[in-house]
Amino acid sequence: MRMAITVPKLAALSLVVLFGIALSLPTYAGTQLWDFEEKHDDWKVANGNWEIAKGVYHVDKGGQAEHTLVGEEDWDNYTIEAKVRLDNHHWAGIVFRAESEMEYYVYYLNVPNNKTELWRHKDGAWNARDNIAQIPAVEKVEIKNGEWIDMKVVVDGSEFEIHLNGKLQGEHEDDAYKTGQVGVWAWETEASFDDFTVYGDNIEDTLAVEPNNKLATTWGRLKRAY
C-alpha cells in the first residue's frame, strides 16, 4: 500500500533536509564583503592612483607595488576571495598579512608566463622583496588580459593556498608575518578588482546588517559546497 505524503509532511521534510545541509556547511565566524557599488572609506591607499568607479576598484597603470589595504592588523587566519582583471600590462593580485604598507605577502597573477607568484615584501622600498614561489597555472587555468579571474587565498598559520577559478594552484609556507590586513595590488599595471570578501574566526561580521549581501554570499558558498 502506498503512503501519501501530505503537504504539511512535505514541508516538514524539506525543513529537515535544509537544516541538515546547514549543519554540514563550514562555519564562518565573520565575513566582510566589498562589492564597490559605492565609496568605501575604510580602504587606505599605500601608493598608486586608485578609485572606485562603475562598480569596481580600479588602479591606473603606474609604478611598482601599488596597493591599498583594509581590515585589522591583528587578523591572523582567514580566507580572501576576489575577482581580479588585468586591464593593461602584466601583474596584479591579492595582499595578505600586511603588517605595514611595506611589510606584507602578495599572490599576484603573471600574464606573460601564465603563472602566479608569491612574494614577501619588506621594509626599505616599494620594490624591497623576496620571492617565495613561482606557480605555473594548472587545471586548464589561463591568465589573460581583460578577463576576470576568481582568486582565493587561504591563510592558516604559516601555510598558504592559492586558488584560481576554483582550482587549487599551489600550497606554500612562510612564517615571517603572523597577522595583518588584506588588500589589492598591482605592479606597473592597470587592473580592476570586484567582490572582495574576507572571512575568518576573528573577523567581525559586517554582513549581519546587510541581508541582501549576506544572502548572496551564503548562496554562493552553498553552490560551491554542493
Side-chain angles (χ1 to χ4, degrees), residues 117-130:
E117 300 187 31
L118 174 61
W119 289 79
R120 183 198 313 111
H121 280 249
K122 52 191 180 181
D123 201 15
W126 296 126
N127 61 356
R129 57 182 188 156
D130 299 314

Side-chain angles (χ1 to χ4, degrees), residues 9-52:
K9 288 182 178 179
L10 183 59
L13 180 60
S14 299
L15 287 175
V16 170
V17 171
L18 288 174
F19 184 69
I21 291 174
L23 289 178
S24 66
L25 288 174
T27 301
Y28 298 91
T31 301
Q32 298 190 18
L33 165 67
W34 295 267
D35 60 11
F36 304 115
E37 294 299 325
E38 59 186 26
K39 183 178 180 181
H40 295 285
D41 293 330
D42 45 351
W43 285 82
K44 304 301 180 185
V45 174
N47 63 327
N49 184 16
W50 294 83
E51 66 172 348
I52 296 174

Side-chain angles (χ1 to χ4, degrees), residues 6-225:
T6 64
V7 172
K9 288 182 178 179
L10 183 59
L13 180 60
S14 299
L15 287 175
V16 170
V17 171
L18 288 174
F19 184 69
I21 291 174
L23 289 178
S24 66
L25 288 174
T27 301
Y28 298 91
T31 301
Q32 298 190 18
L33 165 67
W34 295 267
D35 60 11
F36 304 115
E37 294 299 325
E38 59 186 26
K39 183 178 180 181
H40 295 285
D41 293 330
D42 45 351
W43 285 82
K44 304 301 180 185
V45 174
N47 63 327
N49 184 16
W50 294 83
E51 66 172 348
I52 296 174
K54 298 180 179 180
V56 301
Y57 201 14
H58 181 264
V59 61
D60 289 336
K61 183 179 178 181
Q64 299 177 340
E66 297 185 321
H67 60 287
T68 178
L69 303 174
V70 72
E72 304 298 331
E73 294 179 358
D74 64 350
W75 285 358
D76 49 11
N77 300 324
Y78 44 71
T79 297
I80 307 165
E81 298 185 32
K83 297 182 180 296
V84 182
R85 186 182 68 202
L86 286 76
D87 299 313
N88 182 14
H89 218 48
H90 303 318
W91 309 289
I94 301 299
V95 170
F96 61 100
R97 291 267 177 92
E99 294 189 349
S100 71
E101 292 183 347
M102 295 286 189
E103 299 164 296
Y104 58 87
Y105 297 107
V106 59
Y107 272 116
Y108 68 81
L109 305 173
N110 180 324
V111 170
N113 302 109
N114 198 46
K115 64 182 179 181
T116 313
E117 300 187 31
L118 174 61
W119 289 79
R120 183 198 313 111
H121 280 249
K122 52 191 180 181
D123 201 15
W126 296 126
N127 61 356
R129 57 182 188 156
D130 299 314
N131 181 240
I132 298 174
Q134 305 279 328
I135 312 113
V138 298
E139 297 288 347
K140 299 182 180 179
V141 171
E142 293 187 41
I143 302 170
K144 299 179 180 179
N145 285 104
E147 294 189 6
W148 287 106
I149 293 180
D150 294 326
M151 291 191 71
K152 181 168 82 170
V153 177
V154 181
V155 184
D156 186 6
S158 62
E159 300 178 352
F160 317 139
E161 292 179 2
I162 176 65
H163 302 250
L164 301 181
N165 292 341
K167 308 293 186 180
L168 177 65
Q169 303 295 296
E171 301 173 87
H172 310 95
E173 291 189 32
D174 195 81
D175 61 0
Y177 305 141
K178 304 294 193 298
T179 63
Q181 295 178 289
V182 297
V184 291
W185 182 101
W187 184 288
E188 299 176 350
T189 297
E190 178 186 359
S192 300
F193 303 84
D194 201 4
D195 296 336
F196 189 100
T197 307
V198 58
Y199 47 90
D201 288 342
N202 70 335
I203 292 177
E204 179 184 359
D205 191 355
T206 61
L207 291 184
V209 295
E210 301 177 36
N212 291 333
N213 284 344
K214 186 177 182 67
L215 178 61
T217 303
T218 302
W219 176 241
R221 291 191 187 128
L222 192 144
K223 288 192 294 183
R224 286 196 296 273

